[in-house]
Amino acid sequence: MNNIRTLYYIHDPMCSWCWAFVPTWEKIQGSLPSDIEVVYLLGGLAPDSDSPMAEQMKLTIAGYWQTIQERVPGTQFNYDFWKKCQPRRSTYPSCRAVIAAKAQAKNCDEANVLEKAMVRAIQEGYYLNARNPSDFDTLVAFAEEIGLDVERFELDLNSESTIEQLNEEMHMARSIGAQGFPSLILKSNKLAKAEETKSRALKKPQWQNVPYDYNDASVTLRHL
């Protein structure tokens, strides 16, 4: 019997709360029980857009950054982003960049490494170095910096297969109960009988939303 449980981490590379969660999330991953494997799912905050971000939206998001710094001490943001870049409410390109990075892996372990490397490149570029991950050229630069085949990355970034994969991940994230980013959802190997008639009871996996605290990894670990 397969005793492995799966902990789904639902995120968006351009989600500022996901950025704030990084230190605690790393502590959680370093202390997980041996029967748990982690799977990242892209949730997708905002679809593709070429429209400049409205001034009110800029103020709103900058306000989120300030709130995060109050609630999660130590989180860094480079507010020069709002002066140096032309912000757009568009995070799907950065989500596709993560998929395109994984596509260059030769095996599952390498896929995990490339996935995390691209997420980190996007987050640090955006939040620390005032670079805009909504821009194609910025994402290509990240790909080069983490050692990807740039020509292949450019082809994969907006390919049909990459778009389909993102749609599948977003759909799965919603279907298992993700209600925001980040979300942690545990899939147990246990089977539960559905309330079904007579002998042919259907069985389904147990899905559990796992609580977390941005400043305390133990909140999550206690529930695993």
Side-chain angles (χ1 to χ4, degrees), residues 178-198:
Q179 298 178 346
F181 309 125
S183 284
L184 295 175
I185 298 179
L186 184 67
K187 179 184 178 184
S188 172
N189 62 327
K190 297 178 182 179
L191 295 174
K193 290 184 178 180
E195 294 183 2
E196 190 78 9
T197 57
K198 301 183 181 179

Side-chain angles (χ1 to χ4, degrees), residues 120-151:
R120 178 55 66 96
I122 292 168
Q123 290 177 326
E124 291 185 351
Y126 180 23
Y127 295 116
L128 300 183
N129 300 313
R131 300 165 72 183
N132 192 352
S134 297
D135 292 342
F136 179 85
D137 290 345
T138 303
L139 295 173
V140 171
F142 292 154
E144 183 174 14
E145 289 163 15
I146 67 172
L148 296 179
D149 179 331
V150 172
E151 290 186 5

Side-chain angles (χ1 to χ4, degrees), residues 15 25 27 39 53 58 65 70 72 81 104 112 114-115 117-118 136 142 152-153 175 181 183 187 192 205:
C15 164
W25 175 229
K27 290 177 183 177
V39 173
M53 188 180 291
K58 293 180 188 178
W65 290 8
E70 293 170 1
V72 192
F81 173 82
Q104 296 195 23
N112 291 335
L114 292 178
E115 177 177 49
M118 180 55 79
F136 179 85
F142 292 154
R152 178 178 173 187
F153 179 84
S175 70
F181 309 125
S183 284
K187 179 184 178 184

